[in-house]
Amino acid sequence: MRFLDSLRRLDAYPKIDNEFSIRTVSGAALTLISTIVIVILVIGEINAYLSPNISEELFVDTTRGHKLKINLDFTIPRISCDYVSLDAQDSTGEQHLHIEHNIYKRRLDLEGNQIEEPKKEDIQASTKRISSTEAPATTTLKPACGSCYGAERNASQCCNTCQDVIDAYRERKWNPNVEDFEQCKNSKGGSVEGKAFSEGCHIYGTMEVNRVEGRFHIAPGKSFSINHIHVHDVQPYSSARFNTTHKINTLSFGEQFGFGTTRPLDDLMVEATEGAMMFQYYIKIVPTMFVPLDGPTLYTNQFSVTKHQKSVTAMSGETGMPGIFVNYELSPLMVKYTEKRNSIGHLATNVCAIIGGIFTVAGIIDSLLFTSIHVIKRKIELGKAS
């Protein structure tokens, strides 16, 4: 019995008989409010426990072997698809001309409505010409052979159309002047040149490039190289006639995930205030690794962008050509996001802290209210209340 008496003295929770306890309206109100607050906070803690915790790390990017995937979706409302080229080049010198084999083009009218289904062109497509080793086809009529104006590869090559002459010049890496070609003078008004400004173009798709610094651009005219210099042939028009107003529906690098700055340029509409406007986007790409709780690791990229525009008309004195130019550079650092589950011990600790803390604070408030009300009543009874 002495041991039990000694142990009873350690009780930190002394009990009071019901006949000595007093129940008040203020205490009941505090109890209801405390219970509601506890339920709300506990539900929030359970929700936080079920949601994965995401930790961030920053380290030097040492990954290798990954290609850079570019997802793009541009609308050029004032230049036809036949007069728009998409070209890409990286810092290693690897250049890709006419990469329509990875990109779809959809013809649009000036109102933005689709004219026909999107087409995917082949980079290998080229104008067919007769080789000197090929046997001539048997025919009773031999059509006239148009001149290639010195650009023919052999004596049997003919250039019967304006496009044949232009292709022959490009194979020679010469700059064609269509005004000097008789075939171009006889071309019909309903040709490609005739609809250059009567349609728009929707360019979209993906392409994979080397994971190094590079650039790509969408510009009017056919692209080719002359003495290792990349040029665009916009003849028979001048650069000032091209309206490079555009809308960036989507531009991203890699896969999309639920957070982070992966698409800051989406739905950006840019109006060209005059002809021959050059729009430049300087993009800083941050490689990003996302490790989910379930599933494979996702390699993607976040990026920030700086925009610049200028007029490149002859009167402005600026160099360049009209179009949309995107220059991207990769950061040497990588961001790693890792999903982690919260521990059950952390949840239990927070729930106990919520329940104990709220009931303790509510008890202090109830004690202050009860004491204050009791003192006021005593003064009223003694007639000392003012």
Side-chain angles (χ1 to χ4, degrees):
M1 294 298 293
R2 291 182 178 179
F3 173 74
L4 294 178
D5 292 337
S6 300
L7 183 63
R8 192 176 293 114
R9 293 191 185 96
L10 299 177
D11 185 5
Y13 309 99
K15 312 303 185 292
I16 301 175
D17 292 337
N18 290 333
E19 60 185 72
F20 298 109
S21 60
I22 301 175
R23 299 184 185 276
T24 62
V25 175
S26 60
L30 277 174
T31 302
L32 289 175
I33 295 173
S34 301
T35 303
I36 293 172
V37 173
I38 287 173
V39 170
I40 293 174
L41 294 180
V42 168
I43 291 175
E45 281 297 324
I46 293 174
N47 185 52
Y49 167 73
L50 297 177
S51 301
N53 183 34
I54 297 176
S55 63
E56 299 182 15
E57 300 176 55
L58 187 66
F59 53 90
V60 177
D61 182 13
T62 57
T63 58
R64 289 176 173 80
H66 296 286
K67 285 280 189 177
L68 180 62
K69 182 180 180 182
I70 303 177
N71 311 296
L72 57 92
D73 188 336
F74 284 70
T75 300
I76 318 294
R78 295 293 180 265
I79 307 175
S80 71
C81 288
D82 293 323
Y83 245 83
V84 172
S85 295
L86 171 62
D87 304 311
Q89 185 177 16
D90 58 41
S91 60
T92 64
E94 183 176 345
Q95 187 172 7
H96 312 276
L97 298 178
H98 298 298
I99 55 175
E100 290 90 354
H101 62 293
N102 285 332
I103 301 298
Y104 287 92
K105 288 183 177 180
R106 178 187 286 117
R107 292 173 58 200
L108 306 174
D109 60 21
L110 295 180
E111 300 298 326
N113 301 315
Q114 178 177 312
I115 295 177
E116 63 181 11
E117 292 298 317
K119 292 183 178 179
K120 183 179 180 182
E121 300 181 12
D122 189 354
I123 191 175
Q124 302 297 333
S126 60
T127 305
K128 182 179 180 180
R129 64 176 187 270
I130 301 176
S131 171
S132 59
T133 59
E134 292 179 354
T138 304
T139 179
T140 56
L141 267 193
K142 184 177 181 181
C145 183
S147 172
C148 294
Y149 300 92
E152 61 272 7
R153 291 290 183 180
N154 50 62
S156 61
Q157 182 178 351
C158 299
C159 297
N160 294 325
T161 66
C162 179
Q163 190 62 43
D164 290 342
V165 181
I166 293 174
D167 289 340
Y169 264 65
R170 286 172 181 162
E171 289 180 6
R172 288 281 192 175
K173 297 184 178 180
W174 296 349
N175 187 21
N177 187 2
V178 295
E179 296 178 356
D180 298 335
F181 305 148
E182 193 66 28
Q183 293 91 327
C184 296
K185 294 178 182 179
N186 297 330
S187 62
K188 297 181 181 180
S191 62
V192 170
E193 289 80 5
K195 63 181 181 182
F197 308 111
S198 62
E199 294 181 3
C201 189
H202 180 204
I203 303 176
Y204 67 95
T206 62
M207 56 183 176
E208 290 190 354
V209 296
N210 295 330
R211 200 163 174 265
V212 294
E213 177 184 352
R215 64 197 65 85
F216 69 89
H217 60 263
I218 300 173
K222 297 296 183 180
S223 58
F224 58 98
S225 294
I226 299 178
N227 298 326
H228 304 289
I229 299 176
H230 182 71
V231 296
H232 279 246
D233 178 19
V234 297
Q235 293 186 16
Y237 304 108
S238 65
S239 297
R241 292 198 59 186
F242 290 95
N243 184 343
T244 51
T245 294
H246 61 280
K247 180 181 181 182
I248 304 178
N249 303 306
T250 293
L251 179 60
S252 62
F253 300 83
E255 301 296 333
Q256 174 76 350
F257 61 105
F259 54 92
T261 311
T262 55
R263 295 184 176 182
L265 287 176
D266 280 16
D267 300 321
L268 176 65
M269 183 70 190
V270 182
E271 294 282 348
T273 55
E274 57 181 302
M277 290 292 294
M278 183 178 185
F279 297 94
Q280 296 171 296
Y281 298 89
Y282 298 95
I283 291 177
K284 188 73 172 182
I285 299 175
V286 180
T288 303
M289 180 192 304
F290 180 62
V291 184
L293 283 174
D294 302 312
T297 300
L298 176 66
Y299 291 92
T300 184
N301 301 277
Q302 302 180 79
F303 69 92
S304 61
V305 60
T306 302
K307 300 184 285 289
H308 177 67
Q309 66 184 57
K310 63 180 179 179
S311 174
V312 291
T313 58
M315 300 296 293
S316 66
E318 296 282 352
T319 59
M321 62 180 179
I324 302 103
F325 295 79
V326 179
N327 301 275
Y328 55 87
E329 179 184 356
L330 278 86
S331 169
L333 300 177
M334 172 176 278
V335 178
K336 181 181 180 180
Y337 295 102
T338 305
E339 285 188 337
K340 297 180 179 178
R341 293 192 185 277
N342 297 311
S343 66
I344 188 68
H346 186 266
L347 172 65
T349 302
N350 287 351
V351 169
C352 292
I354 290 171
I355 296 174
I358 290 179
F359 271 125
T360 300
V361 172
I364 294 173
I365 295 173
D366 180 63
S367 177
L368 292 174
L369 287 174
F370 179 77
T371 303
S372 300
I373 293 172
H374 182 69
V375 170
I376 293 172
K377 285 183 177 180
R378 289 290 301 271
K379 288 184 177 182
I380 292 174
E381 291 174 358
L382 297 174
K384 296 181 179 180
S386 58

